[in-house]
Amino acid sequence: QVQLVESGGGLVQPGGSLRLSCAASGSIFMLPVMGWYRQAPGKQREFVATITTVGGRTNYADSVKGRFTISRDNARNMLYLQMNSLKPDDSAVYYCNSPTAAASKFAYWGQGTQVTVSS
């Protein structure tokens, strides 16, 4: 029922940029906080960034501070992640979700979008 569709990933060289988009159903998008997560092969899914629905307050993982910018368009139910100065360690499948939903073992996840940073 919940729909989360991520897009914008691709292959880029170190130092390059990508802009990810997430189209979310209103039921989840209107939760207090939305965010981006990522999962690399053999690793746990990890928090990347969050933004509040009201006020647009942001929070970032230390590993991406100063390089990534999360934003949202409430009118369009869209979430974005501008990624600059990409590093090989940023390579992962990126997902959007709400922190509250993501904390559940039974959380719904979209297909994600693959980001590969390689020279």
Side-chain angles (χ1 to χ4, degrees):
Q1 191 63 223
V2 173
Q3 294 187 36
L4 296 167
V5 182
E6 301 91 347
S7 62
L11 174 64
V12 297
Q13 294 185 320
S17 298
L18 283 174
R19 181 176 172 84
L20 306 185
S21 298
C22 168
S25 65
S27 60
I28 190 168
F29 195 77
M30 291 299 105
L31 289 172
V33 185
M34 283 295 293
W36 286 95
Y37 300 79
R38 66 187 183 187
Q39 186 169 28
K43 296 185 178 181
Q44 298 272 40
R45 184 181 290 108
E46 66 177 352
F47 150 80
V48 175
T50 58
I51 185 168
T52 62
T53 302
V54 178
R57 299 178 68 91
T58 58
N59 189 33
Y60 299 92
D62 289 342
S63 60
V64 307
K65 285 182 179 178
R67 300 188 299 117
F68 291 11
T69 302
I70 187 172
S71 61
R72 64 191 295 160
D73 184 339
N74 290 346
R76 299 180 64 187
N77 285 9
M78 295 290 291
L79 184 72
Y80 305 98
L81 184 68
Q82 178 65 47
M83 307 186 296
N84 298 324
S85 301
L86 284 162
K87 305 175 180 179
D89 286 349
D90 294 319
S91 297
V93 177
Y94 284 69
Y95 303 88
C96 59
N97 215 325
S98 174
T100 299
S104 173
K105 294 181 180 180
F106 308 103
Y108 171 83
W109 296 92
Q111 293 181 320
T113 185
Q114 177 72 53
V115 172
T116 302
V117 185
S118 177
S119 59

